[in-house]
């Protein structure tokens, strides 16, 4: 019975319907993001706030009744890919406004800011986690999560305010890039700590 032409047709139609629903959900979610961005822009605020808020409300972590993104591995991988593409394009577009002559002027200041922005959250996280009864390693991991600076958000806000080409704007951008480099080093150290712990447990 399950191999009759009519049953195959029904299964095909059901599959098409499921794919169509997914496409509608994607279009609806993108439309909601755009609408929220326009609303916050009309309020003289950054559209980034609206985009983030729409992701919180209508994403997989939001209220069940508002979900427009399915909370499954395939769907999340798709949105992660789209997010990477979007951030890459935004950074590439903003990179066309960066002037190396100004970066040379702010190099020393940017390094100092990046070092503070990386290691101050790290130090405060370790102190806070240890004071709450956690381990130094847990505090280090927390600091690694808080240390990176969102280059994409920084660039978007600077472009919106026409401050990217200023000395302050170039300092912020350079510091943000350096901050991410330092944070990557911290993540490598954290990964090495985990591998050493796993090896020790294996030996014991």
């Amino acid at each position: 019975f399950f191999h009759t032409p009519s049953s195959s047709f029904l299964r095909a139609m059901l599959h098409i319907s499921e794919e169509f629903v997914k496409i509608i959900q994607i279009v609806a979610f993108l439309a909601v993001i755009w609408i929220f961005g326009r609303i916050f822009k009309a309020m003289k605020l950054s559209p980034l706030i609206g985009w983030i808020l729409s992701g919180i409300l209508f994403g997989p972590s939001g209220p069940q009744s508002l979900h427009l993104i399915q909370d499954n591995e395939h769907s999340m991988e798709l949105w992660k890919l789209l997010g990477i593409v979007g951030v890459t394009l935004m950074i590439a577009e903003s990179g066309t406004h960066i002037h190396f002559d100004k970066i040379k002027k702010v190099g020393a200041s940017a390094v100092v800011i990046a070092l503070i922005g990386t290691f101050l959250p790290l130090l405060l996280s370790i102190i806070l986690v240890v004071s709450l009864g956690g381990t130094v390693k847990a505090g280090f991991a927390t600091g690694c999560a808080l240390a990176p600076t969102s280059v994409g958000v920084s660039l978007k806000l600077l472009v919106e305010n026409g401050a990217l080409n200023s000395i302050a704007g170039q300092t912020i951008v350079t510091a943000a890039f350096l901050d991410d480099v330092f944070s990557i080093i911290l993540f490598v150290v954290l990964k090495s700590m985990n591998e050493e712990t796993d090896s020790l447990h294996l030996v014991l």
Side-chain angles (χ1 to χ4, degrees), residues 13 31 70:
M13 290 300 296
Q70 296 180 356

Side-chain angles (χ1 to χ4, degrees), residues 80-200:
K80 285 180 182 178
L81 176 61
L82 291 175
I84 291 172
V85 172
V87 172
T88 301
L89 292 174
M90 183 168 60
I91 293 176
E93 188 273 335
S94 300
T96 60
H97 301 285
I98 294 177
H99 302 283
F100 287 99
D101 292 336
K102 292 182 180 179
I103 290 179
K104 292 178 182 177
K105 295 179 182 178
V106 303
S109 301
V111 171
V112 173
I113 295 172
L115 288 172
I116 295 174
T118 301
F119 292 101
L120 182 60
L122 182 67
L123 178 61
L124 293 177
S125 296
I126 293 174
I127 294 173
L128 179 61
V129 171
V130 171
S131 66
L132 294 175
T135 63
V136 174
K137 184 178 178 181
F140 186 83
T142 304
C144 289
L146 296 175
T149 300
S150 176
V151 177
V153 172
S154 301
L155 287 170
K156 181 64 177 176
L157 291 174
L158 290 171
V159 170
E160 287 179 1
N161 292 278
L164 182 59
N165 293 326
S166 65
I167 294 297
Q170 296 295 305
T171 303
I172 293 172
V173 171
T174 306
F177 277 113
L178 292 175
D179 190 352
D180 283 350
V181 172
F182 296 151
S183 298
I184 291 173
I185 296 174
L186 291 178
F187 278 117
V188 172
V189 173
L190 179 63
K191 185 174 184 295
S192 300
M193 292 169 60
N194 289 331
E195 290 176 351
E196 290 176 2
T197 302
D198 294 340
S199 300
L200 181 60

Side-chain angles (χ1 to χ4, degrees), residues 68-84:
L68 289 176
I69 298 179
Q70 296 180 356
D71 191 8
N72 56 61
E73 184 177 354
H74 177 71
S75 178
M76 295 308 297
E77 287 298 323
L78 172 63
W79 285 103
K80 285 180 182 178
L81 176 61
L82 291 175
I84 291 172

